[in-house]
């Protein structure tokens, strides 16, 4: 039951993310507003990078994305520091889709599995695969909200 609910929730949130990202013109992906630390492109990449780090790397000790990708989008980074060309919108969309499939295939029957090494993120102790996926869902929702906020400000300034 719990695994079904968590997998349904990550699917819903990821579909919302995909719908929003696919609807945004790529010309807006790199607009850097003074009110925000990062761009739409960075937030999308950060969603992918963080889920990979939390779920795949932390639980199964294997990354499904390249280290160069993580280096662009991990916490504390910003587009103004990039010295390489970031992934295109199409590449990010493909990664969002692939990652959802990989997560479902890898963890569908493991949601209730206890972690060999539980860990803490701020005040939250994550003890099972489901706990980690649940935290990743919340994280994605926060960054989807940031993407929406960025888009609202960009669209308001372009009026």
């Amino acid at each position: 039951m719990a695994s079904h609910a968590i997998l349904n929730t990550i699917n819903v949130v990821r579909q919302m993310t995909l719908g929003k990202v696919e609807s945004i013109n790529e010309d807006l992906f790199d607009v850097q507003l003074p009110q925000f630390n990062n761009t739409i492109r960075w937030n999308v990449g950060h969603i992918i990078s963080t889920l990979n780090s939390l779920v795949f790397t932390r639980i199964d000790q294997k990354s499904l994305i390249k280290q160069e990708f993580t280096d662009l989008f991990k916490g504390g980074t910003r587009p103004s520091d990039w010295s390489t060309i970031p992934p295109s919108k199409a590449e990010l969309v493909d990664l969002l889709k692939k990652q959802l499939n990989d997560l479902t295939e890898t963890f569908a029957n493991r949601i209730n599995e206890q972690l060999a090494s539980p860990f803490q993120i701020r005040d939250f102790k994550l003890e099972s695969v489901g706990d980690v996926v649940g935290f990743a869902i919340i994280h994605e929702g926060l960054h989807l909200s940031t993407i929406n906020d960025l888009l609202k400000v960009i669209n308001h300034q372009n009026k």
Side-chain angles (χ1 to χ4, degrees):
M1 174 66 179
S3 64
H4 181 72
I6 289 173
L7 291 174
N8 280 346
T9 303
I10 191 78
N11 186 56
V12 167
V13 171
R14 184 53 59 95
Q15 294 307 321
M16 291 171 63
T17 301
L18 279 162
K20 177 54 70 178
V21 171
E22 290 176 321
S23 75
I24 302 170
N25 186 315
E26 190 166 7
D27 292 343
L28 304 179
F29 268 49
D30 299 307
V31 174
Q32 179 65 64
L33 298 168
Q35 305 93 324
F36 293 85
N37 291 329
N38 288 301
T39 63
I40 292 170
R41 186 179 315 276
W42 184 91
N43 277 277
V44 176
H46 182 70
I47 288 169
I48 296 164
S49 176
T50 300
L51 189 138
N52 179 74
S53 296
L54 280 174
V55 179
F56 293 100
T57 305
R58 179 80 66 141
I59 296 171
D60 276 354
Q61 287 74 50
K62 64 178 181 181
S63 176
L64 300 184
I65 58 175
K66 295 178 181 177
Q67 184 61 45
E68 295 81 11
F69 185 96
T70 301
D71 291 343
L72 289 173
F73 299 108
K74 64 186 172 188
T77 62
R78 59 185 56 224
S80 60
D81 295 335
W82 291 347
S83 60
T84 60
I85 297 172
S88 68
K89 172 184 171 179
E91 291 170 313
L92 292 170
V93 167
D94 287 346
L95 283 169
L96 285 167
K97 291 176 182 176
K98 181 181 183 318
Q99 189 176 59
L100 180 60
N101 290 335
D102 291 341
L103 185 134
T104 302
E105 288 176 14
T106 305
F107 297 105
N109 297 315
R110 296 175 59 194
I111 292 297
N112 295 319
E113 180 182 309
Q114 295 299 301
L115 300 178
S117 299
F119 62 99
Q120 193 128 355
I121 297 178
R122 295 184 184 87
D123 295 333
F124 308 104
K125 187 172 185 183
L126 307 178
E127 300 183 58
S128 70
V129 170
D131 291 346
V132 178
V133 173
F135 187 86
I137 293 168
I138 293 166
H139 178 267
E140 182 160 336
L142 291 170
H143 283 277
L144 178 57
S145 178
T146 300
I147 291 167
N148 282 318
D149 291 344
L150 279 160
L151 195 56
K152 285 177 188 174
V153 174
I154 291 167
N155 287 335
H156 179 75
Q157 288 182 349
N158 288 339
K159 284 186 177 182

